[in-house]
Every structure is written in structure tokens, then in C-alpha cells.
Amino acid sequence: MMKQFLSPTLLLLIFFLLFTTTSGQSSSPAAAPSGPTTPSGQSSPPAAAPSGPTTTSGQSSPPALAPSVPLVPSGPSGTPSGSLDITAILKKAGKFTTFIGLLKSTQMDAEINNRLKKSDGTTVFAPTDSAFSNLKTGTLNSFTDQQKTALTRFHILLSFLTIPQFQTVSNPVHTAADGDTVAFPLNVISDGKQVNMTTGLVNTTVDSTVYSDAQLAVYEIGQVLLSEGVLGGQAPAPAPLPPKPKKDSPPTSQAPSRSTTVSVDSSGATGPPQCATIVVSIGVAVLAALPLCI
């Protein structure tokens, strides 16, 4: 009797629980869609943000690298600063054709470049083509090779000088013209911003800086630096001594010696008194004989 009662009751309880669970699920609000579903009914994961341009295989390519900066500073025409060329610097400026010709003909361009390879400081005063055209016609063509070399060297200092450093130089400034400051005098006056220079024959100024680094300085000047040494007129020589008389020269061309003058004077001095004594004696005898005759 007890088993028969429990069996229907147990069935009703199970049915009641199933009914309650089903009704609770149907009454709950619908959840928001989590994303597009695949044909199988499962939602697909969200698409990832693009990381960069993709290749044809579907893989992303690495980002482009920034252009690298050259480690060695560039000199004129893209040459490294370790191989500076004085003529290349002047050519780039475009107004030093005549001075470039002088550097090449005197081989001073090679000498300057060799100094730069050894890291020796150098300063160059470069006259413009207009400065050479202001010279007297035919001046440069009349110079000998030695004069052209002296002229070119006179425009070069064997040390590196910035514009402010010209205030501290000692005058006259030593140039590459054999260091001769007598035949090649160069005096500089500067206030730290402007540089005036004189050679005794030419006065000019530094018009601009063509090139400057820690080793080489090239300055534009408006006049060609001329000096007595360049023009061939070195420091005046002492006056020549008078020529010595020749041994076979006639006696009349020589001045009388002191001994000859004395002997002549002595002979002339003793003659006149003797004659006077004779004349006086004769006169006294004549006077004494006159009374006898009367």
C-alpha cells in the first residue's frame, strides 16, 4: 500500500520540477548575439585589427625601416671629409677659376691636400676672378713660374684660423711664402667679425667664408695680395762700394799724396828767401859805390 502511494507521488514531483525548469528558461530574456555565426551554428571570433600591409600569402610584412644617417659628414660634392680637395671646394663656389689655375700650375693644390690628409690646419685666402681682372692688363701673364709660386703661397697660412681668431694673431702674419715677412708682409686687423688686411701695396678685406671646418678655412677676398716679394722687388740692397783704381791707371788720375805735397811746399818755401838776400846785397853795393863815383 505504501509503495503504491509513493510511486505516483514521486512521479508527480519529478514532473513538477521538469515543468518549472522549462517555464523558467522560456521566460528569461534573450541574450545579445555574440557575433556572426558559422553554418554550424557556432559564433566566429571577432576579426583582429590589421597589423600592417599583407603579402600575397596573407602574412603581414614587417614595417619599413627609416633611412639611415651617414656616419661620416660629407664634404664638397659628396666626398667624405677625410678626403677634402681644395680645388673641389673652390669649383663648387663657382668664382675662383683663375685661382684654381694658379693652384694647379704651381702644384700647391696637391700640397694643400697632402696637409689635409695629415690633419694639418690650413687657411686659404682665395681672390675671386673679379679680383684678378682688376689687375693691370698682362700682369699675371708677365710673371715667371717663380713669381706665380710666390704669389700663390702668399695667399696660404699654415694654420687653421677662424674669423674671431684673427684678433689674436701677431703681425706680420707668417704665410707659406717661406715665412719671409720682409718681402711678403701681411698685416691683419680684426674686430672678431670683419677682417682687414694689408701688404703695403694692397688693402683688402675678407668678404665671406667659402668653407670652414675644424681643419680647413677658405675665405673670399676682393683683391689679389701683391707684395714686393711677388713683384720681384725684394728689400733694397746696400749701396755698392766704389770701384778700386786699376794698377795701370795714369798718375794724373790719382790725387797727390800727402808726402808729395809736403816736399813741393818745402821746396817752394826755401826758394824765395835766398833770391831776396842776393838782390839786397847787390843794392847795398851799388849805393856804397855811388859817392866814390861823384
Side-chain angles (χ1 to χ4, degrees), residues 13-278:
L13 181 60
I14 292 172
F15 179 79
F16 177 77
L17 291 175
L18 291 173
F19 179 80
T20 304
T21 302
T22 304
S23 62
Q25 291 179 353
S26 61
S27 61
S28 62
S34 60
T37 60
T38 60
S40 62
Q42 298 179 354
S43 60
S44 61
S51 59
T54 59
T55 61
T56 56
S57 61
Q59 298 179 353
S60 60
S61 61
L65 298 176
S68 60
V69 179
L71 299 179
V72 181
S74 297
S77 302
T79 59
S81 59
S83 59
L84 287 175
D85 189 327
I86 181 64
T87 57
I89 293 172
L90 294 173
K91 283 182 180 179
K92 188 175 182 180
K95 50 183 174 180
F96 301 100
T97 304
T98 305
F99 189 58
I100 292 173
L102 274 177
L103 289 172
K104 290 184 176 181
S105 64
T106 59
Q107 298 182 353
M108 284 303 299
D109 58 335
E111 186 172 333
I112 293 174
N113 292 336
N114 288 334
R115 287 182 56 82
L116 297 177
K117 291 178 182 178
K118 297 177 183 178
S119 299
D120 294 334
T122 307
T123 302
V124 179
F125 299 113
T128 61
D129 293 333
S130 298
F132 281 99
S133 64
N134 290 334
L135 294 175
K136 186 178 179 181
T137 304
T139 298
L140 193 58
N141 292 333
S142 66
F143 283 173
T144 64
D145 292 342
Q146 184 177 0
Q147 286 177 303
K148 291 179 180 179
T149 300
L151 176 65
T152 308
R153 286 183 171 274
F154 194 35
H155 290 75
I156 300 171
L157 306 183
L158 302 181
S159 60
F160 171 77
L161 291 176
T162 61
I163 293 295
Q165 287 176 333
F166 280 103
Q167 289 182 286
T168 60
V169 297
S170 299
N171 286 318
V173 179
H174 289 266
T175 67
D178 300 327
D180 187 351
T181 58
V182 176
F184 300 91
L186 179 62
N187 294 284
V188 176
I189 301 175
S190 174
D191 59 0
K193 296 180 180 179
Q194 183 176 0
V195 179
N196 301 325
M197 58 184 66
T198 180
T199 67
L201 299 178
V202 175
N203 299 323
T204 188
T205 60
V206 172
D207 294 334
S208 66
T209 300
V210 180
Y211 181 87
S212 180
D213 57 15
Q215 185 180 0
L216 172 66
V218 182
Y219 298 112
E220 174 189 340
I221 57 176
Q223 297 291 333
V224 180
L225 299 178
L226 297 176
S227 70
E228 294 293 337
V230 173
L231 299 177
Q234 302 284 348
L241 296 175
K244 294 181 179 180
K246 296 181 181 180
K247 293 182 180 180
D248 56 351
S249 58
T252 55
S253 62
Q254 297 181 357
S257 63
R258 185 178 181 84
S259 59
T260 304
T261 304
V262 172
S263 63
V264 172
D265 291 343
S266 61
S267 61
T270 55
Q274 293 177 355
C275 296
T277 303
I278 296 173

